[in-house]
Each structure stands twice: as structure tokens, then as C-alpha cells.
Amino acid sequence: MSRVAYVNGRYLPHGDAAVHIEDRGYQFADGVYEVIAVRGGRLVDEAPHLDRLDRSLAELRIAPPMSRRALGLVLREVVRRNRVADGIVYLQATRGVARRDHPFPPASRTALVVTARRARPPNRKAIEEGIKVITIPDIRWARCDIKSVSLLPNVLGKQRARESGAYEAWQVDRDGMVTEGTSTNAWIVTPAGELVTRQTDHAILNGITRRALVAIARQEGLAFVERPFSVGEAKEAREAFLTSTTAPVLSVVRIDDAVIGDGRPGPLGRRLFALYAAHAEGRDPA
Ligand code: PDD
């Protein structure tokens, strides 16, 4: 089946889809993006994703590419044309095409690209056995709350993780505190059984999966706190896991050389995995 991409008002064969060489996303990473999961043909948490998109655009003073209603229609149309029942839809909005010059161009039209693809088969082994993370210095800018396409430190960090045989790299700030993964949020369960994730500030992206899990933790009456945690504390944790649209509640069983808990996914991580799956599939938890 041939894939289809939406590019600035047109649905094009994926192989022919292109943007202009002077798109500011290409030259300056002057743009933002979202990745939304598709489950059973439904967009998971569409509204919070589009709220976050609006916020990212507003922070960078990029005009919305179209109304929210129209954007919803485009997302669904790209999903439909690519026959994605389970997968992801990706959207990227940039400040558009202009002669290369750092200040905002006097007139520009926000450029919009949307693609969708089926998910790779879920990595059973990673879910059942847990994954490894390494820790690296957080070398990113001071506005990681904006979902900008400027992802070079994240790319370098993820590559380091891969080369170390790890799934993810947890980034660490100057105070020795974990900020987040390169494309995931970070969580631990303390020896006392308290669930901890960093509070949302400019140092991390406020993950939509993170937000859903915070709501689930509150609903379930779990002992839960939002605060920074150190690498040392993470290594002593009873459990650890990470969350993102593409890796919801994946247990971390090793951080650098430290084994977490008994080296297998812990009970709270497994429970939250099941509760989140029910949320994503729009059903009541079993
Ligand atoms: N990444 N932190 C960072 C730096 C991220 O890039 C992401 C998402 C998250 C988790 O956010 P959410 O739960 O909304 O997916 C946290 C996406 C999936 C990506 O870049 O592919």
C-alpha cells in the first residue's frame, strides 16, 4: 500500500512529499511538532495534544496553520488514507518559507506537514523484561517545555544510548537531578512506595502520557509526588519506568550499571501499564 503525506494543503504520495529548501524548519529548526498515537482508528488524547501544539506555537509566536477543527479533519484524513488502525500520526508546523535571515520574516505562512504510519509490532521483550537506560548530561536549551523540532541534543543522547545497548538516555541537570529521557518522561517508585516524577517546568516536556498517568495515579489514590529526583535516588529506587506516546509505561530495570529492584518490571509499573492501555484504548480498566 502506498503511503500518503499532507504537505501545505495537498495530499501527496509519501515519496514525492517535499518542502521548500528555505523552509525555516529546515534552516533554523523554527517549528514545532506533535506525535499522537492511533488506537483502533482513534486518536489518543487528541485534545491535550492539540492544546500543547497551540501552546508551543504561541510560545514561538508562530500562527496556527489552520483552525483546530480543520486540523482534526486533516489528521483523520491522513490516518484514513494510510489505513492506520494502530500507529502514530506526526504533525509538524514551521514558520514557513522565507529568504534565510534570522528575524521572523515580515510575511510568512505557517507550513504544515502531516504523516501517519502503522506502529511497529510492540516490542514484547522490552515490555516483559524491561529496558536499560544510561545517564548523560542535559545539554539542551532552557525551554524544553516547548515541543520544538530542534532535537539535536536528543538525537545525540539517543544515539549514545543505542551505542551503549540501552533503550534511552536519562538527561541530568547541573544539580545531578534527572530531567527526562531524550524522547520520554522519567519516573521512579521510592523504597517507601511513593511514585515520583519531575514537576513540569521549563526543564522538561509536559508529556501527554505523563499527564494521563498523573490523572490515573490520582484516581487510584496512589502515593504520588511531582519533584526532582537525583541519579543516586533513581539507582536506589524500587521501580523505575518511562512514558511517551510511543513507549507508554516501559519499565526500566537498569540505570547505568545499577540494577533496579530485582531486575524485572515491578508491580506498580505493570499495573500502570495496564491502566494506561485501558485509557488509550478508551475502555474501562479490567
Ligand atoms: N517524544 N519528553 C520528550 C523530550 C519528548 O520528546 C517526548 C515525546 C516526551 C513524552 O511526551 P508524550 O507523552 O506527549 O509523547 C517527553 C515524541 C514521542 C517523539 O519525539 O517522538
Side-chain angles (χ1 to χ4, degrees), residues 33-35 49 52 90 140 144 147 151 154 171 180-185 204-211 243-247:
Y33 75 106
E34 282 292 330
V35 182
H49 275 285
R52 185 173 65 185
Y90 173 84
R140 299 175 301 163
C144 298
K147 201 160 171 60
L151 291 171
N154 310 58
Q171 301 168 102
E180 61 181 334
T182 63
S183 64
T184 57
N185 289 116
I204 67 164
L205 184 76
N206 189 355
I208 304 303
T209 321
R210 177 195 179 284
R211 287 191 220 183
T243 58
S244 82
T245 297
T246 46

Side-chain angles (χ1 to χ4, degrees), residues 13-14 23 25 45 47 60 65-67 87 96 107 115 117 126 133 165 213-214 219 222-223 237 248:
H14 196 271
D23 186 288
D45 286 338
L60 299 181
M66 56 182 65
S67 71
T115 57
R117 64 170 166 79
V133 304
L213 219 62
V214 167
Q219 244 162 43
L222 301 179

